[in-house]
Amino acid sequence: MTISQQHTPVIIVGAGPSGLMMAAQLLRHGVQPVIIDSKQGPTTHSKALAVQARSMEIYRQMGVIDKVLNDGKRGGGVQFNQDGEEVASLSLANVGETQTAFPFIQMYPQSKNERLLLDFITLNCCPVYWNTSLLSLSQNSDKVTLRLQNGEDKQTITCDWLVAADGAHSTVRKKLNIIFNGDTYQHQFYLADIKIEADFGDKVNLFLSKKGFAGFFPMPDERSYRVVGNLPDEFDKKDELQIGEVLPHLRNVTQQQIIVEHTNWFTTYRLHHRMADKFRQQRCFLIGDAAHIHSPVGGQGMNTGLQDAYNLAWKLAGVVNNQLKVSVLDSYERERMPVAKELLNTTDRIFKMILSRNWFINLLKKYLLPVVLKWVWSKPNLREAFFKRVSQTGVSYRDSAINLNLSHASQIKAGDRLPYLKVFDEKREVETDLHEWCSKPGFTLICLGKLKELDLFTIAKWITQNYGASLNFFYLPPSAKNQHIFDAFAIKENQKKALIIRPDMHIGFLNDVVDIDMMDNYLLNVVGVKPIIGHGS
C-alpha cells in the first residue's frame, strides 16, 4: 500500500502501543499523522500485561475506558511465596481509592491495547501502513526525508516531524546514531501464557527460592496466567526450548504441582535495561521502548511508553496547528527523561535483588523481606506512596520550564498531575470530578473561590477574544459539598485560586489570585501559546 501524500506534518514509525497512542492523541488534537510499521499487523501475543491507573485515566479522557474495564481483569494484589509457602500477601483493594477513579491494576494485555487504539485511529480515518520498512532518513532545519519500502515498492516521503516508536531495536534511533546506554541481564528468561489446573486467584503470585524465581500474573480468562521466570544455567545455550522442558524447574521453584492444560504462547529471551542519551534530535523524537527499556518489575514498561506519547502529542499538535511556539517541544525530553531514568534505576535495583544468588541476600529475602513488606503495608501513608509510584499517578514535572507556580500551597504545585477530586455540580445536582472537566482537548482554566458576575463575564470575554476553544473554562464557588477541594488546594475563606491545566492533565499554572494579566503571561510567555490573531505577539 503506497502512501498517497508526498509530504505530511507527522510520521510515526512503529505501530505498537506507544506509536498507536501517539497517533490517537494527535488525532484528538486535530492532526492527521502517517503511521508505518515493518510488521504484517498488530501483535497477537499478550506481551505487556498491566495497565496502570494513569494510563486508565488517559483511556477515560479518550472515551474508551469501558472497553478496557469490560475486557480486562483487576489485579487483586501481590502474594509473596518462599520455597512454596506464602510469606506475605498484600491486597490492592482500596489502596488508591482517594487518588484516582481506577485504584487498581488492570490486567489488559498489550494485544488488546493495540486493538483498542487501532480501532480508535481507524474510526478517525487514520490507516496504519503495515509491512512498510524505513530504509534511510535524513533531516535538515526544515524537514525530515524518509526512504520507505513496502514489498517491492520504494518511495520517498517527507514530514515536518518524525516520532520513533519502533521499539528496543529502533531503526530510527540507530540511523540517528543516538547512543543506547545500559546493559543486558546475565540470565535468560522464559515467558509463558498458559491455562493451568490450579487457581491462584486474582493476585500476582511471586515465588522466590534458591533455585530462582517465577511470577504468575492473572489474565482475563479463567485459570489463565502469564508466567515469567529465570531459566536454569544449563538451558542458557539451548535453542528452541519447549515449555515441557521448563516445567520441572518451575515446579522446583514453586513447590507446586503445576499442570498445564493449554499453552497460548511460550518464548525465551534476555532482558535489557537501557536508555537513549537523548530523546530528541532536531525534528526527530524517541518514545517508548525506542527511548528506554527496563525490567518488567511493577508492570511499568508499556505504561511509560503511553505516557511519553501523551506528553509529546499535545505539544507537537500545538506546533503543527500553529497554536504553540516551537520552543514548547524542548520540554518533552526535559520532562520525560528524568521519569525514565528514575524508573530504570528503581526497577534495576529490585530486579537484581530478586535474581541474586548471594547467600546473604537470600537470607534477607527469606527472613527480613516478609517482615518489612507486612510492616510497610500496615501503614496507610506508605501504602498510598507505593500505589502512587506503581500507578504513575505520582509522576510530576515541577521543575519543567513550561509550568509556573505562584501559590503558597505546599502539597499541590504546578507540574503535579491534577488530583482526582469529586465535584458536586450545584446547578445540575450531579456528581462529577476535576478530571471530567478536562476531557476536552486544549487547556482548562479552573477558578476556585467566590467571583462576582462581572469578573466571570470578563474572564469569559478574555478567553473568547484571545484563546477561543483552546482554553476551556470552569468555575467552582465555595460550598459545603465541595469543601474538600478547597482544603486540598489550601484555599482559606474568601481566598481565590486559578489553575490552568495542561492538555495532559498536569497543572501548568497555579496562582493564589485570579488575575488575567498573570494568566495571559503564563499562556503567552511560559507555554508559548499563540493567541488568536490581533492579540499580543
Side-chain angles (χ1 to χ4, degrees):
M1 182 163 55
T2 306
I3 300 166
S4 55
Q5 60 266 53
Q6 293 305 300
H7 183 84
T8 189
V10 182
I11 291 180
I12 302 164
V13 181
S18 303
L20 291 169
M21 177 60 85
M22 188 74 204
Q25 291 298 324
L26 287 172
L27 288 162
R28 278 189 74 242
H29 293 288
V31 172
Q32 192 85 18
V34 164
I35 180 166
I36 66 165
D37 198 300
S38 58
K39 298 194 302 287
Q40 304 299 311
T43 186
T44 53
H45 296 312
S46 57
K47 295 192 176 179
L49 195 57
V51 177
Q52 303 292 354
R54 189 71 182 108
S55 301
M56 304 272 278
E57 290 173 356
I58 303 176
Y59 282 140
R60 182 192 183 202
Q61 194 186 42
M62 291 168 66
V64 296
I65 189 61
D66 288 348
K67 191 148 182 59
V68 182
L69 293 171
N70 295 335
D71 291 354
K73 181 177 188 173
R74 289 190 188 195
V78 185
Q79 181 173 310
F80 291 84
N81 305 278
Q82 189 85 38
D83 298 322
E85 298 292 322
E86 180 190 322
V87 292
S89 184
L90 315 178
S91 171
L92 277 176
N94 310 323
V95 172
E97 213 171 30
T98 58
Q99 296 179 31
T100 174
F102 312 103
F104 49 86
I105 295 172
Q106 185 79 344
M107 299 303 181
Y108 188 69
Q110 181 174 327
S111 50
K112 290 191 176 187
N113 281 274
E114 288 188 15
R115 177 53 59 192
L116 177 82
L117 290 164
L118 203 50
D119 288 348
F120 184 93
I121 69 169
T122 304
L123 281 171
N124 285 278
C125 305
C126 177
V128 175
Y129 294 93
W130 298 107
N131 198 27
T132 303
S133 303
L134 174 65
L135 298 176
S136 66
L137 77 89
S138 60
Q139 60 176 327
N140 56 31
S141 57
D142 298 320
K143 64 184 179 185
V144 186
T145 303
L146 296 89
R147 186 88 176 129
L148 307 176
Q149 180 164 4
N150 181 293
E152 297 299 310
D153 299 330
K154 293 179 181 176
Q155 77 173 116
T156 300
I157 184 170
T158 59
C159 62
D160 297 321
W161 305 97
L162 175 71
V163 179
D166 50 345
H169 303 290
S170 171
T171 304
V172 175
R173 189 189 63 238
K174 288 171 185 171
K175 291 192 182 298
L176 293 172
N177 294 316
I178 294 175
I179 297 164
F180 206 34
N181 292 309
D183 209 348
T184 303
Y185 289 107
Q186 177 189 344
H187 305 285
Q188 198 173 1
F189 300 86
Y190 66 89
L191 182 153
D193 283 350
I194 54 177
K195 185 171 185 177
I196 59 175
E197 279 191 5
D199 189 348
F200 287 125
D202 63 354
K203 282 185 180 168
V204 172
N205 265 267
L206 298 178
F207 292 88
L208 305 174
S209 85
K210 286 179 186 172
K211 299 174 183 76
F213 90 100
F216 282 70
F217 299 82
M219 295 184 74
D221 296 334
E222 194 182 349
R223 288 185 288 111
S224 294
Y225 295 90
R226 149 76 52 77
V227 184
V228 178
N230 65 307
L231 285 167
D233 295 341
E234 61 265 26
F235 286 149
D236 254 14
K237 300 284 187 283
K238 191 166 169 44
D239 292 328
E240 306 207 4
L241 205 61
Q242 302 298 316
I243 189 166
E245 298 171 86
V246 176
L247 274 177
H249 171 67
L250 179 59
R251 287 168 184 152
N252 265 335
V253 170
T254 61
Q255 297 291 300
Q256 310 275 331
Q257 188 57 31
I258 308 291
I259 296 170
V260 177
E261 286 185 4
H262 182 70
T263 305
N264 289 318
W265 185 36
F266 178 79
T267 187
T268 60
Y269 60 102
R270 289 200 178 276
L271 278 170
H272 309 268
H273 49 113
R274 298 179 187 277
M275 188 170 109
D277 68 351
K278 57 177 91 164
F279 287 6
R280 178 189 181 185
Q281 189 167 297
Q282 284 180 272
R283 293 182 163 268
C284 299
F285 297 87
L286 306 182
I287 66 171
D289 286 357
H292 45 79
I293 50 171
H294 27 79
S295 86
V297 168
Q300 302 293 294
M302 177 175 68
N303 294 275
T304 307
L306 296 176
Q307 300 299 332
D308 289 345
Y310 189 51
N311 181 287
L312 176 60
W314 69 268
K315 299 167 184 176
L316 199 52
V319 171
V320 169
N321 292 328
N322 204 29
Q323 293 168 332
L324 292 172
K325 292 174 187 169
V326 74
S327 57
V328 75
L329 296 175
D330 296 337
S331 67
Y332 165 66
E333 183 178 82
R334 288 173 190 167
E335 289 181 348
R336 293 304 297 169
M337 248 185 151
V339 174
K341 193 172 186 177
E342 189 189 348
L343 185 61
L344 207 70
N345 291 336
T346 308
T347 55
D348 185 43
R349 283 198 302 270
I350 296 169
F351 203 56
K352 278 179 176 168
M353 189 194 77
I354 290 170
L355 291 174
S356 176
R357 294 177 185 176
N358 178 284
W359 67 271
F360 182 66
I361 300 288
N362 281 327
L363 275 178
L364 291 179
K365 281 192 285 189
K366 187 164 187 173
Y367 298 108
L368 188 62
L369 184 65
V371 177
V372 170
L373 287 170
K374 285 174 182 172
W375 180 81
V376 166
W377 219 245
S378 70
K379 308 290 179 191
N381 57 332
L382 294 178
R383 273 204 316 266
E384 292 219 346
F386 168 83
F387 181 80
K388 234 176 204 174
R389 183 173 281 257
V390 170
S391 66
Q392 300 196 358
T393 56
V395 169
S396 177
Y397 308 130
R398 285 187 181 183
D399 297 331
S400 174
I402 60 164
N403 302 322
L404 184 59
N405 193 75
L406 300 173
S407 171
H408 291 104
S410 58
Q411 295 298 311
I412 301 170
K413 294 190 176 183
D416 293 350
R417 158 189 162 273
L418 177 69
Y420 172 75
L421 295 167
K422 291 187 176 177
V423 183
F424 184 74
D425 188 321
E426 308 270 359
K427 277 187 182 172
R428 294 186 298 148
E429 295 199 337
V430 291
E431 193 175 69
T432 177
D433 59 78
L434 293 183
H435 285 196
E436 182 71 24
W437 283 6
C438 301
S439 56
K440 286 182 182 174
F443 290 81
T444 303
L445 168 62
I446 299 174
C447 290
L448 304 172
K450 184 69 180 153
L451 292 175
K452 295 173 186 168
E453 284 289 326
L454 181 61
D455 295 334
L456 290 170
F457 174 76
T458 306
I459 291 168
K461 186 180 175 186
W462 163 70
I463 292 170
T464 306
Q465 289 180 344
N466 304 310
Y467 300 104
S470 65
L471 183 59
N472 308 297
F473 176 43
F474 288 87
Y475 164 57
L476 188 69
S479 70
K481 287 191 174 175
N482 291 318
Q483 185 56 42
H484 61 286
I485 297 172
F486 287 77
D487 293 342
F489 285 97
I491 303 171
K492 299 184 179 76
E493 202 174 342
N494 299 322
Q495 203 183 16
K496 303 174 188 69
K497 205 155 270 198
L499 296 86
I500 297 178
I501 315 303
R502 305 172 1 168
D504 58 3
M505 281 198 295
H506 280 261
I507 301 167
F509 173 82
L510 186 58
N511 195 1
D512 289 341
V513 294
V514 178
D515 184 293
I516 285 177
D517 287 340
M518 287 176 160
M519 294 189 290
D520 230 10
N521 171 61
Y522 168 71
L523 290 167
L524 298 176
N525 301 320
V526 179
V527 184
V529 174
K530 292 184 177 181
I532 293 169
I533 303 300
H535 170 79
S537 57

